[in-house]
Amino acid sequence: MSVPVPHRRTAVLPQQAAPAGDACAAARRTADGTADGPGATPAHPLPAAPAETRLPIPGARRPETSADNGSGPGLTVLLIGDDPSSTVPDMWDWAGRKVRLRTARNLTEAARLLTDDVDCILLDLAPAPGGPVADGDDTLGALHAVLRMAPAHAVLVMTPETDAERAAEAVRVGAQDYLFRDELDGGVLSRAVRYAVERKRADLAQRQLTESRMRAQENARLERGLLPTPLLAGSDLRFAARYRPGRSRALLGGDFYDTVRTPDGTVHAMIGDVCGHGPDEAALGVELRIAWRALTFAGLCGDELLSTLQKVLEHERADDEIFATLCTVDISPDGRRAGLCLAGHPAPLLSRAGGTPRLLPYEYGGPALGLLPYARWPRHQIELGGAWSLMLYTDGLIEGHVGEGRLRLGQDGMADLVARRMAAGLTGEELLDTTLTEVRDLNGGELTDDVAVLWLERGRV
């Protein structure tokens, strides 16, 4: 389908040109009151765009702040055409300064002249051979080459008025605007250059914003996929977990947890914390969690499992000073006993039927993973009873402050808080939500460390 031919195209901005003899015209005069040169065409300036609205083009120079009052560098235009000696009217930027013009006879010369300070490319298209452009006809080879050569620069094309269809096609394939060679004057060309530069900057800013949003969405989907899905089919245990990374706008931190049931009916749970809060620590936490799940299904537990995890940490960490704390629990198929291993991690909180929640012994634990090459982690046997609840957590839950002083909540404060909530009849997800809310309120705002909390319950406590 042929492109409709516009009747006339002489302006590129909706604003009307100001009368000649205005501020820009005055700026073009020298001290003795004469114009810059013979035959200088009066410009039709528009008010200067505010500096904060002009977004920088990657790879191009942005005018300095002093440019707004005419004392800094102005715009630079690169003219590409077979006859660069052809008359091009003087052009003026937002502050009334004369635009610098460079000329190139071909694309090879243009590539040499296309330095970082060029703001706009003015491409003079030769008349289309054989008349108007037809569907599928590639008569814009030079424009395609320019767009590949300068993807971050504004591009204007000039054509004869008889080539209106090709001019419109040039805009469709990537040029910011087109001009008819026979209708050029200083005002029209100045406005066209300014408009093209601003439009290109806006297009690039919008593209960068779109790409940033897409990357954020992809990262969010990736992080959600790395969070664990508990495998407890066939177990009568109730499970709940809450996870809050300390990094702003992140879904994953250095804390990690998991829960699985092996074919023999044993339920295995673990929670851990990689020192630090960045994406590297988050990635290492995911690796340790996946390794723990694989080793658990392979039949390892206790000291053998933790020793193997330490080897994984030593091979995967970016720095020898990075370590991780870990707490593992394996609950017997009948749900009445459990084995506990601690690697520098806070002890879980156990509540038996009719009893007050209490912290399990910590003195049976070993060092954090990654600190001692030949460490050992003894497995401590715990009697759970018929009805019980077990809460595993990371230190982000207990290191928040209490009020405006330096006093921290600590394990005992956390145990008292949970005991009050349980006495009020709360359990599971409701208990975890209210506990996290109260800990945050006591801290006077959001917690800065990653927080992970895991809840397992058998029967009603």
Side-chain angles (χ1 to χ4, degrees), residues 21-348:
D22 55 11
C24 283
R28 297 198 302 272
R29 300 186 180 278
T30 59
D32 59 1
T34 61
D36 277 344
T41 304
H44 305 285
L46 293 174
E52 61 271 13
T53 65
R54 298 199 289 271
L55 299 174
I57 296 178
R61 169 202 42 77
R62 183 193 188 280
E64 299 174 358
T65 303
S66 60
D68 295 337
N69 58 21
S71 61
L75 294 176
T76 300
V77 172
L78 174 60
L79 170 65
I80 305 175
D82 292 336
D83 185 13
S85 62
S86 60
T87 302
V88 174
D90 289 338
M91 295 168 280
W92 312 92
D93 67 9
W94 301 276
R97 296 159 302 190
K98 188 174 180 180
V99 173
R100 293 183 295 275
L101 182 67
R102 298 178 185 173
T103 59
R105 295 180 180 274
N106 50 53
L107 294 177
T108 301
E109 188 174 351
R112 181 175 57 83
L113 297 176
L114 187 63
T115 53
D116 289 342
D117 61 338
V118 172
D119 299 280
C120 182
I121 297 174
L122 186 59
L123 177 62
D124 191 358
L125 293 176
V133 64
D135 289 344
D137 185 14
D138 185 12
T139 60
L140 299 172
L143 175 60
H144 287 292
V146 168
L147 293 175
R148 288 193 299 269
M149 179 176 63
H153 289 73
V155 178
L156 284 171
V157 297
M158 291 192 304
T159 69
E161 188 171 3
T162 56
D163 259 354
E165 293 184 13
R166 188 164 63 134
E169 178 70 8
V171 174
R172 189 191 69 78
V173 300
Q176 271 59 61
D177 211 336
Y178 66 86
L179 298 166
F180 292 140
R181 195 180 297 117
D182 301 333
E183 298 176 353
L184 287 184
D185 61 38
V188 169
L189 187 55
S190 297
R191 288 194 300 273
V193 168
R194 296 196 296 262
Y195 171 75
V197 170
E198 294 296 346
R199 180 176 176 181
K200 185 64 176 182
R201 285 171 176 163
D203 290 345
L204 288 174
Q206 181 61 42
R207 183 184 307 169
Q208 292 169 355
L209 178 61
T210 301
E211 292 175 352
S212 177
R213 287 174 176 171
M214 291 179 63
R215 285 195 298 269
Q217 292 171 357
E218 291 175 357
N219 290 339
R221 288 195 296 269
L222 176 62
E223 289 185 333
R224 289 191 190 99
L226 293 175
L227 289 172
T229 300
L231 302 179
L232 290 173
S235 172
D236 60 352
L237 300 184
R238 296 178 59 205
F239 169 88
R242 289 295 182 266
Y243 189 94
R244 292 184 181 178
R247 293 183 295 140
S248 61
R249 297 185 298 276
L251 296 175
L252 205 62
D255 290 2
F256 54 98
Y257 68 90
D258 205 351
T259 306
V260 298
R261 182 175 183 266
T262 49
D264 64 355
T266 302
V267 172
H268 303 262
M270 73 89 170
I271 195 165
D273 182 3
V274 177
C275 66
H277 312 289
D280 291 338
E281 289 77 11
L284 182 55
V286 171
E287 292 182 78
L288 292 176
R289 180 187 68 79
I290 295 174
W292 174 88
R293 177 176 284 202
L295 294 171
T296 298
F297 279 121
L300 277 67
C301 69
D303 181 77
E304 186 180 12
L305 186 149
L306 292 177
S307 298
T308 308
L309 279 182
Q310 174 159 276
K311 294 178 182 178
V312 173
L313 171 67
E314 291 170 346
H315 286 294
E316 298 296 332
R317 62 186 176 184
D319 190 284
D320 289 343
E321 296 183 357
I322 293 178
F323 62 90
T325 66
L326 195 69
C327 169
T328 68
V329 175
D330 55 277
I331 302 168
S332 62
D334 62 6
R336 303 184 67 88
R337 293 172 302 280
L340 171 67
C341 287
L342 294 175
H345 199 87

